[in-house]
Amino acid sequence: MKFILFPRLPWPIWRQLLSMATVGTLVAASFGVIHDEITCTLSPDYFTKLKFPQFHAEQFGLPFRGAVAVIGALASWWVGLIAAWVLARLLPGQIEGGLVHLAMQRKAWGRFLKLLGLILTTSSMGGCVGFWVVTPLTGTSVAWREVCQDLLVKDIPAFLKVACIHQGTYIGAALGFVLALLLVRRPFRS
């Protein structure tokens, strides 16, 4: 357990782990920005009535779209950091003595980027499922209607659609991460 929490690794491996964690963080933050910019177009109320108060967006001092972008980055960067760090630590070669050869490093990066792509794909698919499948089912929910009334939402169907997209994206990301964990330890092909 001590090795996992406080590993003794050579500097080249630390550099690679930190690089992968940085890439994962930037990819997730960018995804969050793009995701929220798209969904705020569908329901500005979702952000002004729910997300802005959650993130104290009035303190950002930014116009609406700028605040939405900051919220998207803040809501997702840390997920990318954690997922990338875990995947980078589990890549073949990381624990068993490190990535000594340049060819192994390239293979590790290739695998890592494919796994990030898998998570992005399942996140996007989850959002689509939320948009097309879950929203009609949620529209009849009394609890959601009460939440919308409490928040003084003007366009309830749009608000519910964006709420379902967000939930679907979270679920898709979690499923993608589980799939990535199942695939990460496969041996590299020559």
Side-chain angles (χ1 to χ4, degrees):
M1 183 69 159
K2 185 177 179 181
F3 176 74
I4 292 172
L5 296 177
F6 303 104
R8 289 192 175 116
L9 300 171
W11 172 243
I13 295 173
W14 274 113
R15 186 175 54 234
Q16 180 143 338
L17 290 172
L18 293 172
S19 296
M20 288 178 172
T22 301
V23 167
T25 301
L26 293 173
V27 166
S30 300
F31 180 85
V33 168
I34 293 166
H35 181 274
D36 282 6
E37 288 294 336
I38 292 169
T39 56
C40 83
T41 302
L42 298 173
S43 176
D45 273 354
Y46 185 80
F47 290 87
T48 58
K49 306 290 186 179
L50 182 66
K51 289 295 182 184
F52 281 16
Q54 274 181 344
F55 285 87
H56 305 287
E58 69 280 350
Q59 295 177 6
F60 298 161
L62 296 171
F64 177 73
R65 289 283 183 165
V68 167
V70 170
I71 288 170
L74 290 175
S76 57
W77 73 267
W78 61 275
V79 177
L81 173 66
I82 293 169
W85 180 260
V86 169
L87 292 174
R89 289 286 287 128
L90 294 176
L91 280 168
Q94 296 287 37
I95 294 174
E96 294 90 6
L99 301 173
V100 178
H101 303 294
L102 187 59
M104 276 296 277
Q105 288 180 353
R106 287 188 179 140
K107 287 181 180 183
W109 269 103
R111 167 85 50 88
F112 176 75
L113 294 174
K114 286 177 185 175
L115 294 171
L116 279 185
L118 172 68
I119 295 170
L120 287 173
T121 301
T122 58
S123 298
S124 300
M125 289 171 55
C128 291
V129 168
F131 181 85
W132 293 109
V133 177
V134 180
T135 304
L137 301 174
T138 308
T140 59
S141 169
V142 174
W144 270 110
R145 297 247 176 232
E146 289 174 2
V147 167
C148 290
Q149 289 171 351
D150 291 344
L151 294 174
L152 304 174
V153 172
K154 296 173 189 153
D155 187 353
I156 293 175
F159 184 94
L160 294 176
K161 187 172 294 274
V162 170
C164 291
I165 291 169
H166 279 249
Q167 292 302 315
T169 302
Y170 300 142
I171 293 168
L175 290 175
F177 183 62
V178 169
L179 286 173
L181 288 174
L182 294 173
L183 297 173
V184 71
R185 295 297 292 172
R186 290 179 38 210
F188 291 129
R189 290 188 202 139
S190 298

